[in-house]
Amino acid sequence: MGVHSKRLNLKTQGESEILDITEKVSAVVKGSGLKSGIACVFTPGSTCAVTTTEYEPGLLSDIPAALERIAPKNIQYRHDEKWGDGNGHSHVRSALLGPSITIPFDEGRLNLGTWQQIVFVELDVRPRQREVIVKVIGEP
Ligand code: ZN
Protein backbone atom coordinates (compact mmCIF):
# COMPACT_ATOMS: atom_id res chain seq x y z
CA MET A 1 0.00 0.00 0.00
CA GLY A 2 1.38 3.38 -0.96
CA VAL A 3 0.26 6.98 -0.82
CA HIS A 4 1.50 9.73 -3.09
CA SER A 5 0.30 13.29 -3.49
CA LYS A 6 0.96 16.31 -5.60
CA ARG A 7 -0.39 19.85 -5.91
CA LEU A 8 -1.09 21.23 -9.37
CA ASN A 9 -1.11 24.99 -9.89
CA LEU A 10 -3.56 26.42 -12.40
CA LYS A 11 -4.10 29.94 -13.65
CA THR A 12 -7.63 30.61 -14.89
CA GLN A 13 -8.92 33.37 -17.17
CA GLY A 14 -12.23 33.81 -15.37
CA GLU A 15 -15.82 32.68 -15.26
CA SER A 16 -16.83 29.47 -17.04
CA GLU A 17 -13.34 28.54 -18.18
CA ILE A 18 -12.99 24.76 -18.35
CA LEU A 19 -9.45 23.33 -18.27
CA ASP A 20 -8.55 19.80 -19.34
CA ILE A 21 -6.27 18.46 -16.58
CA THR A 22 -6.30 14.79 -17.65
CA GLU A 23 -2.65 14.72 -18.72
CA LYS A 24 -1.48 16.33 -15.49
CA VAL A 25 -3.45 13.89 -13.32
CA SER A 26 -2.25 10.92 -15.40
CA ALA A 27 1.34 12.08 -14.93
CA VAL A 28 0.89 12.15 -11.16
CA VAL A 29 -0.48 8.60 -11.19
CA LYS A 30 2.43 7.40 -13.40
CA GLY A 31 4.92 9.25 -11.23
CA SER A 32 3.55 7.59 -8.09
CA GLY A 33 4.88 4.23 -9.27
CA LEU A 34 1.65 2.65 -8.02
CA LYS A 35 -0.04 0.11 -10.29
CA SER A 36 -3.57 -0.24 -8.98
CA GLY A 37 -5.66 2.02 -6.77
CA ILE A 38 -7.61 5.26 -6.74
CA ALA A 39 -6.72 8.87 -7.47
CA CYS A 40 -8.65 11.59 -5.67
CA VAL A 41 -8.62 14.94 -7.51
CA PHE A 42 -9.72 17.74 -5.18
CA THR A 43 -9.74 21.52 -5.38
CA PRO A 44 -9.71 23.57 -2.17
CA GLY A 45 -12.12 26.32 -3.25
CA SER A 46 -15.85 27.07 -3.04
CA THR A 47 -16.19 28.89 -6.37
CA CYS A 48 -14.71 26.21 -8.65
CA ALA A 49 -15.22 22.51 -9.35
CA VAL A 50 -13.67 19.30 -10.63
CA THR A 51 -15.65 16.90 -12.81
CA THR A 52 -15.39 14.95 -16.07
CA THR A 53 -16.75 15.62 -19.54
CA GLU A 54 -15.97 15.07 -23.19
CA TYR A 55 -13.64 17.98 -23.88
CA GLU A 56 -15.08 19.37 -27.09
CA PRO A 57 -16.22 22.92 -28.03
CA GLY A 58 -19.96 22.12 -27.96
CA LEU A 59 -19.90 20.98 -24.35
CA LEU A 60 -17.50 23.72 -23.31
CA SER A 61 -20.33 26.11 -24.14
CA ASP A 62 -23.27 23.80 -23.20
CA ILE A 63 -22.06 23.30 -19.62
CA PRO A 64 -21.84 27.03 -18.76
CA ALA A 65 -25.21 27.54 -20.49
CA ALA A 66 -26.79 24.79 -18.35
CA LEU A 67 -25.27 26.31 -15.20
CA GLU A 68 -26.76 29.67 -16.18
CA ARG A 69 -30.22 28.04 -16.37
CA ILE A 70 -29.80 26.25 -13.03
CA ALA A 71 -28.19 29.10 -11.05
CA PRO A 72 -28.64 32.31 -13.10
CA LYS A 73 -26.27 35.19 -12.60
CA ASN A 74 -28.87 37.95 -12.61
CA ILE A 75 -31.01 36.94 -9.66
CA GLN A 76 -30.64 37.86 -6.02
CA TYR A 77 -28.32 35.83 -3.78
CA ARG A 78 -28.18 36.23 0.00
CA HIS A 79 -24.42 35.66 -0.17
CA ASP A 80 -24.00 38.83 -2.25
CA GLU A 81 -26.07 40.89 0.22
CA LYS A 82 -23.75 39.82 3.00
CA TRP A 83 -20.35 39.85 1.26
CA GLY A 84 -20.90 42.04 -1.80
CA ASP A 85 -18.45 40.02 -3.87
CA GLY A 86 -21.03 39.32 -6.59
CA ASN A 87 -20.34 35.60 -6.81
CA GLY A 88 -23.34 34.02 -5.06
CA HIS A 89 -24.13 32.13 -8.26
CA SER A 90 -20.49 30.90 -8.41
CA HIS A 91 -20.76 29.32 -4.96
CA VAL A 92 -24.09 27.66 -5.79
CA ARG A 93 -22.75 26.25 -9.08
CA SER A 94 -19.62 25.01 -7.30
CA ALA A 95 -21.70 23.24 -4.64
CA LEU A 96 -23.71 21.49 -7.35
CA LEU A 97 -20.75 20.27 -9.41
CA GLY A 98 -18.59 19.43 -6.40
CA PRO A 99 -14.93 19.97 -5.48
CA SER A 100 -13.58 16.48 -6.17
CA ILE A 101 -13.76 13.23 -8.07
CA THR A 102 -12.19 9.82 -7.46
CA ILE A 103 -10.90 7.79 -10.39
CA PRO A 104 -9.72 4.17 -10.19
CA PHE A 105 -6.59 3.10 -12.06
CA ASP A 106 -4.99 -0.19 -13.12
CA GLU A 107 -1.53 -0.87 -14.59
CA GLY A 108 -0.73 2.76 -13.76
CA ARG A 109 -3.47 4.01 -16.11
CA LEU A 110 -6.64 5.86 -15.16
CA ASN A 111 -9.84 3.94 -15.94
CA LEU A 112 -11.38 6.82 -17.87
CA GLY A 113 -13.76 6.37 -20.80
CA THR A 114 -12.47 7.07 -24.30
CA TRP A 115 -14.28 10.43 -24.48
CA GLN A 116 -14.02 11.27 -20.81
CA GLN A 117 -11.58 13.94 -19.67
CA ILE A 118 -10.92 15.30 -16.19
CA VAL A 119 -11.75 18.99 -16.06
CA PHE A 120 -11.29 21.90 -13.68
CA VAL A 121 -14.16 24.40 -13.90
CA GLU A 122 -13.59 28.04 -12.93
CA LEU A 123 -16.88 29.47 -11.65
CA ASP A 124 -15.72 32.67 -9.99
CA VAL A 125 -16.26 36.06 -11.64
CA ARG A 126 -12.57 36.89 -12.03
CA PRO A 127 -9.28 35.21 -13.03
CA ARG A 128 -7.87 33.13 -10.18
CA GLN A 129 -4.75 31.27 -9.18
CA ARG A 130 -5.97 27.75 -8.34
CA GLU A 131 -4.71 24.60 -6.75
CA VAL A 132 -5.70 21.00 -7.39
CA ILE A 133 -4.56 18.28 -5.01
CA VAL A 134 -4.08 14.82 -6.50
CA LYS A 135 -3.90 12.09 -3.86
CA VAL A 136 -3.04 8.64 -5.12
CA ILE A 137 -3.59 5.56 -2.98
CA GLY A 138 -2.81 2.07 -4.18
CA GLU A 139 -0.57 -0.96 -4.51
CA PRO A 140 2.87 -0.94 -6.15
ZN1 ZN B 1 -18.27 34.80 -2.39
Side-chain angles (χ1 to χ4, degrees), residues 4 6-11 19-31 39 41 110 118 120 130 132 134 136:
H4 179 85
K6 185 156 185 201
R7 284 172 186 257
L8 308 174
N9 291 298
L10 305 173
K11 206 183 168 112
L19 300 172
D20 181 358
I21 58 169
T22 312
E23 286 307 312
K24 288 176 172 151
V25 175
S26 294
V28 175
V29 170
K30 281 204 178 76
V41 183
L110 292 166
I118 306 165
F120 176 91
R130 294 296 197 177
V132 171
V134 183
V136 186

Side-chain angles (χ1 to χ4, degrees), residues 46-47 79-80 83-88 90-91 124:
S46 65
T47 52
H79 176 77
D80 295 336
W83 302 98
D85 55 359
N87 66 359
S90 312
H91 289 283
D124 211 343

Side-chain angles (χ1 to χ4, degrees), residues 48-51 66-67 70-71 89-99 123:
C48 52
V50 172
T51 186
L67 290 170
I70 295 164
H89 64 288
S90 312
H91 289 283
V92 172
R93 293 172 184 188
S94 166
L96 291 171
L97 289 178
L123 298 165

Side-chain angles (χ1 to χ4, degrees), residues 58-108:
L59 284 166
L60 298 187
S61 110
D62 291 335
I63 292 169
L67 290 170
E68 177 60 29
R69 292 192 293 273
I70 295 164
K73 205 170 177 170
N74 297 321
I75 61 172
Q76 208 175 3
Y77 289 88
R78 302 289 287 274
H79 176 77
D80 295 336
E81 289 168 21
K82 189 167 163 67
W83 302 98
D85 55 359
N87 66 359
H89 64 288
S90 312
H91 289 283
V92 172
R93 293 172 184 188
S94 166
L96 291 171
L97 289 178
S100 76
I101 55 169
T102 302
I103 310 150
F105 62 92
D106 284 300
E107 302 302 324

Side-chain angles (χ1 to χ4, degrees), residues 36-49:
S36 177
I38 51 172
C40 175
V41 183
F42 172 83
T43 186
S46 65
T47 52
C48 52

Side-chain angles (χ1 to χ4, degrees), residues 108-124:
R109 292 182 58 178
L110 292 166
N111 298 147
L112 289 166
T114 309
W115 308 109
Q116 183 180 28
Q117 277 82 47
I118 306 165
V119 293
F120 176 91
V121 188
E122 181 58 77
L123 298 165
D124 211 343

